[in-house]
Amino acid sequence: MADKYNCIATYEDPIISYLLGFLERNIKENISFNVVDFVLNPEHEESDYLSCDSDFYIVAIREKGAAPHYGMRLVQNILRKRKDSTVIVYGQVSTIDTKFSGIGSENVITVIHDEKSLVKILGLTFKTEKKYSYETCSISSPYYKSSIVNEDKKRLFVAAIETTRGCLFNCDFCFVNNSNVYEKKWMVRNNDQIVHDIDTYYNDGIRKFLFFDLEFLGPSKRHHREKIELLKTISKRFPDIKYMIYSRADTLIKFNQFDLLKDSGLYNVYLGAESFFEEDLIALKKDIKPLEISRCVTKLLDLNIGVFLSMIPFNRNSTTVSIRHNVDTIAKLLKHKFAASLRIQTFLVNAEHSWGNKGLEKYKFSDKTYTNWTMYMQAHTSPKFAFDNNLEPLIELFRTLAYENEKKSTELNLTYQKLKDEDKKKVEVWFANIDKFSVFCASYFLEQFEKGNLFLSEGSIRNNQIDLFKMVYSFNCKVLPMHLSECCTKSETISDVDCEPIQLGDHGFDIAIPPINEVIQRFKKL
C-alpha cells in the first residue's frame, strides 16, 4: 500500500507473488486471481476490486507504515459491499488482528504468512502428499505486467524477491517478536530457487532487484556460506544487475564480504540501526553497539554502496540528549567523501509504537499538531505511544520536513526524465545534499526546542514551520531549476496549523477505500 503523495515505490509485494507461484505449482485446482495492487497502481478505484462478486477476497497485509490501517479499511469496505463474501486477511497480520478484535465479523479470517495455511482455509487440494516447505517449494509468479499502467511506473519497476522469511533476532519493537505471523521464526530459501526467480525477471529485461527480507544474511556461518555461494552465482550469471538488501549492521560486519557484495551488484542497503545512542539500543533490545553501526556505515560508504539508514529517534528511551547524540553522529557520517550515498530521512519521522503488551503505552498527543493523526495511522494496538509527548512540538517540525522532502523527491523523480541535461544535473545535486540539509534543519530546530523557542502552542509551531519553509525554499533556490524550487507542502501545512484544532481523521485513498468512521471513534475512546 503506497501513500498517494509517494508514488515512486514500484515493486510487487512478495506476499502476493509467492502465493501465486505456490498455488500455480502445488495445487490441483485451476483458480484465477484478479490482483489489485495499490503500490503498482495508486490510481486504482473501488470498482477494480469489487467488480467481480467473488466468494473469497484475500487482502495481503505487510507490517509497514500505514499499510495495516489501509488494509483494515479495505476489508471493512468489502464487507459492506459484498456481505456474503469471506475476506481473508493474509500475511503479516500482527496489527490488523488486534485492530479487528471487537469490531470484526465472522466473515473475516486472518491467516499468517504461510501459503500452506492459506491453502487449507481455501479448501484447496495439494497435487501430492509430499511435505511442502517454504525452503524448497517457494517460487515467485510475477504479476506486475498486468498491474502497472503508468509509463513512469514501468521505468521505476524493481523486482522484489524473497531469500528469507522472518528473523532470528529479538528486537523488542519488531512485530516478529510481538506476534506469530510465520510458520517458523526464520526460514531460508534454497539458492537454486532464488536464482530461478532472478532469471525469470532478468529474461523480462529487469535489471534492478530488491531482496525483500527482514534480514538478508542471518547470524550463522552456515547462512553466510550459503549467501557467499549465491552472490558468486549472481556475479557469474547476472553481472549487470543491481540489487538492494535489508540487513542489520552486525550481520554485515560478521559476514565481512563487502567486496563480494559490491562486485555482485549491491548498490543499496536498508540498514536497521534504530539509534546511535547506546541506552536506546539497550532499551530496544537491539543487542548491538553504536560503534559497530558506525563502522558498518563507513565500510559501505567506502565502497560507494548506498545506505538507507533506518532510525527510531523517538522511542521509549528518547530525550533531547539522545536525539542530539543521533543528530551529531549522523552529521559526522555525512562528512564522508561518498556522503551523497547516505540517506537518513527516517530519522525525521520514525517513532516507536507500543504493542500493548509491555506497559509502554503511556503517552497521548494533542490536537495542535498532526502528530496524533500520523501516529493513529501507524498505530499497532493503542492510541497511546511509547515516547514522551513533551517531544511533540519537535516531532511535528521533523514530520513537516519529512513530508516536504517526500513530496519534493517524488516530484523530482517523476520530472527528471523530461528535463534538459543541465536541469538534470541540478536535480542530482539536490538529491546529493538533501540529507545534509535535513540534518542541519533537525539540529537547528532541536536547538530551538532546547532553548524554549519551540513549544506546544499553535503560534510557536506555526512560526517555526514558517522558518522551516523559508530554509527549504532557500535551499531549493540554490540548487534546483527555478521552476522546481517552490515548496510542495507549505500552503497546506501553514493554513492547517492556523485554523481550528486538528481533528483526528482518516485520509488517503478516500474514494477507492472509504474511511471507517466507527473505527476512528473506537480508537478515540481507548
Side-chain angles (χ1 to χ4, degrees):
M1 181 65 67
D3 293 304
K4 271 285 189 178
Y5 64 85
N6 177 11
C7 56
I8 296 303
T10 308
Y11 50 79
E12 299 162 319
D13 194 320
I15 292 177
I16 300 173
S17 57
Y18 283 90
L19 171 61
L20 295 176
F22 186 87
L23 296 178
E24 287 172 8
R25 289 164 177 80
N26 301 309
I27 301 304
K28 288 182 179 180
E29 292 84 356
N30 183 18
I31 55 177
S32 61
F33 286 90
N34 173 33
V35 178
V36 178
D37 189 319
F38 283 86
V39 172
L40 295 181
N41 182 9
E43 303 304 320
H44 271 307
E45 298 178 353
E46 184 182 60
S47 59
D48 293 327
Y49 62 89
L50 291 177
S51 58
C52 55
D53 192 2
S54 176
D55 291 334
F56 288 99
Y57 288 83
I58 300 174
V59 178
I61 292 293
R62 186 171 292 278
E63 286 291 341
K64 185 178 181 183
H69 173 82
Y70 285 119
M72 183 173 65
R73 279 172 46 176
L74 186 59
V75 171
Q76 290 286 83
N77 196 46
I78 294 170
L79 290 174
R80 286 169 174 161
K81 304 295 177 65
R82 297 287 182 263
K83 299 182 185 298
D84 295 328
S85 296
T86 296
V87 181
I88 298 172
V89 185
Y90 171 66
Q92 298 171 358
V93 294
S94 311
T95 296
I96 206 164
D97 235 353
T98 304
K99 283 193 172 184
F100 262 116
S101 62
I103 60 168
S105 163
E106 61 183 15
N107 290 352
V108 178
I109 303 171
T110 57
V111 181
I112 65 171
H113 190 192
D114 172 48
E115 290 82 1
K116 299 187 299 299
S117 297
L118 186 56
V119 166
K120 293 177 182 177
I121 292 294
L122 291 172
L124 300 174
T125 311
F126 288 106
K127 287 182 178 178
T128 69
E129 294 183 1
K130 73 175 185 179
K131 184 178 180 181
Y132 292 88
S133 71
Y134 169 77
E135 292 85 347
T136 59
C137 296
S138 296
I139 294 291
S140 175
S141 179
Y143 62 89
Y144 69 96
K145 291 181 180 179
S146 61
S147 298
I148 302 178
V149 296
N150 182 290
E151 287 300 320
D152 287 326
K153 296 286 278 182
K154 289 179 181 178
R155 175 176 58 84
L156 295 166
F157 181 74
V158 176
I161 291 175
E162 280 190 352
T163 74
T164 69
R165 189 175 288 181
C167 184
L168 275 177
F169 293 95
N170 297 311
C171 303
D172 198 43
F173 55 86
C174 181
F175 73 93
V176 174
N177 296 308
N178 287 278
S179 58
N180 296 313
V181 296
Y182 299 116
E183 178 189 13
K184 304 174 189 174
K185 193 176 179 185
W186 170 252
M187 295 172 283
V188 181
R189 289 182 69 209
N190 180 290
N191 278 349
D192 290 341
Q193 296 193 329
I194 298 169
V195 171
H196 174 278
D197 288 345
I198 298 174
D199 195 51
T200 298
Y201 290 100
Y202 190 88
N203 290 334
D204 278 346
I206 306 301
R207 295 296 182 267
K208 271 197 170 182
F209 291 78
L210 165 62
F211 291 130
F212 210 143
D213 312 307
L214 295 176
E215 166 60 40
F216 179 70
L217 293 168
S220 76
K221 290 182 179 179
R222 178 176 65 83
H223 295 138
H224 292 180
R225 286 193 297 269
E226 291 171 355
K227 279 299 190 291
I228 288 172
E229 290 306 312
L230 175 63
L231 298 178
K232 287 180 178 178
T233 301
I234 290 173
S235 296
K236 184 177 180 179
R237 290 190 53 180
F238 313 104
D240 55 339
I241 75 166
K242 299 294 181 185
Y243 65 89
M244 176 180 174
I245 64 172
Y246 289 73
S247 180
R248 287 169 58 105
D250 51 351
T251 58
L252 275 166
I253 292 292
K254 187 176 180 181
F255 185 62
N256 198 27
Q257 296 284 339
F258 290 90
D259 288 332
L260 177 58
L261 286 162
K262 174 74 173 181
D263 292 343
S264 61
L266 178 66
Y267 77 96
N268 209 342
V269 179
Y270 193 98
L271 193 71
E274 320 329 331
S275 178
F276 290 98
F277 194 64
E278 187 162 8
E279 286 82 351
D280 285 358
L281 297 174
I282 292 171
L284 295 170
K285 296 184 180 178
K286 186 69 181 177
D287 195 24
I288 189 173
K289 296 292 185 182
L291 287 178
E292 199 168 19
I293 301 172
S294 296
R295 181 181 164 214
C296 182
V297 172
T298 301
K299 275 182 166 287
L300 291 166
L301 292 180
D302 285 346
L303 293 171
N304 202 12
I305 296 172
V307 180
F308 192 102
L309 203 58
S310 175
M311 304 284 290
I312 308 179
F314 297 95
N315 60 66
R316 68 188 76 175
N317 190 65
S318 292
T319 63
T320 55
V321 173
S322 66
I323 297 169
R324 171 61 64 189
H325 180 83
N326 278 313
V327 168
D328 291 345
T329 302
I330 293 170
K332 289 177 183 177
L333 290 170
L334 283 168
K335 292 179 180 179
H336 193 283
K337 64 179 179 178
F338 292 132
S341 296
L342 179 59
R343 293 283 174 262
I344 56 88
Q345 293 302 308
T346 62
F347 177 74
L348 298 174
V349 72
N350 273 8
E352 181 186 5
H353 300 273
S354 173
W355 288 94
N357 59 351
K358 302 181 189 300
L360 296 171
E361 57 278 15
K362 300 176 183 177
Y363 305 104
K364 294 191 75 169
F365 295 91
S366 75
D367 59 4
K368 294 182 173 63
T369 74
Y370 267 105
T371 296
N372 194 30
W373 176 78
T374 303
M375 296 299 106
Y376 153 71
M377 290 287 286
Q378 300 182 10
H380 298 312
T381 60
S382 168
K384 297 182 180 179
F385 305 99
F387 61 96
D388 190 344
N389 58 355
N390 288 320
L391 297 170
E392 183 177 350
L394 182 61
I395 196 174
E396 179 66 6
L397 265 293
F398 282 20
R399 182 208 63 80
T400 302
L401 178 58
Y403 181 39
E404 170 65 27
N405 288 348
E406 192 77 64
K407 267 201 141 177
K408 177 58 73 174
S409 65
T410 299
E411 176 192 27
L412 296 177
N413 267 298
L414 294 178
T415 306
Y416 181 81
Q417 292 295 333
K418 304 167 188 174
L419 297 175
K420 299 176 182 178
D421 287 345
E422 60 184 280
D423 287 344
K424 284 183 179 179
K425 291 179 181 178
K426 292 180 180 180
V427 170
E428 290 165 7
V429 171
W430 187 91
F431 277 105
N433 288 278
I434 185 59
D435 292 279
K436 289 181 181 179
F437 171 72
S438 298
V439 170
F440 170 79
C441 291
S443 180
Y444 174 80
F445 287 106
L446 175 57
E447 183 178 354
Q448 296 307 303
F449 181 73
E450 291 170 325
K451 289 180 177 179
N453 297 329
L454 170 59
F455 51 91
L456 192 60
S457 80
E458 291 180 9
S460 174
I461 292 171
R462 182 177 187 274
N463 289 338
N464 278 276
Q465 285 177 321
I466 290 172
D467 290 343
L468 171 61
F469 282 112
K470 287 179 181 177
M471 294 162 70
V472 171
Y473 181 65
S474 176
F475 170 72
N476 288 349
C477 287
K478 287 178 182 177
V479 296
L480 288 175
M482 283 308 298
H483 71 282
L484 292 173
S485 60
E486 290 293 336
C487 298
C488 292
T489 63
K490 178 182 177 181
S491 58
E492 61 183 279
T493 299
I494 300 300
S495 62
D496 281 341
V497 173
D498 202 28
C499 292
E500 295 296 319
I502 295 170
Q503 300 298 316
L504 182 62
D506 209 346
H507 311 285
F509 297 101
D510 289 353
I511 297 176
I513 314 174
I516 314 167
N517 290 328
E518 62 266 32
V519 176
I520 297 173
Q521 296 304 319
R522 178 175 179 268
F523 187 86
K524 283 180 176 179
K525 293 175 182 178
L526 287 174

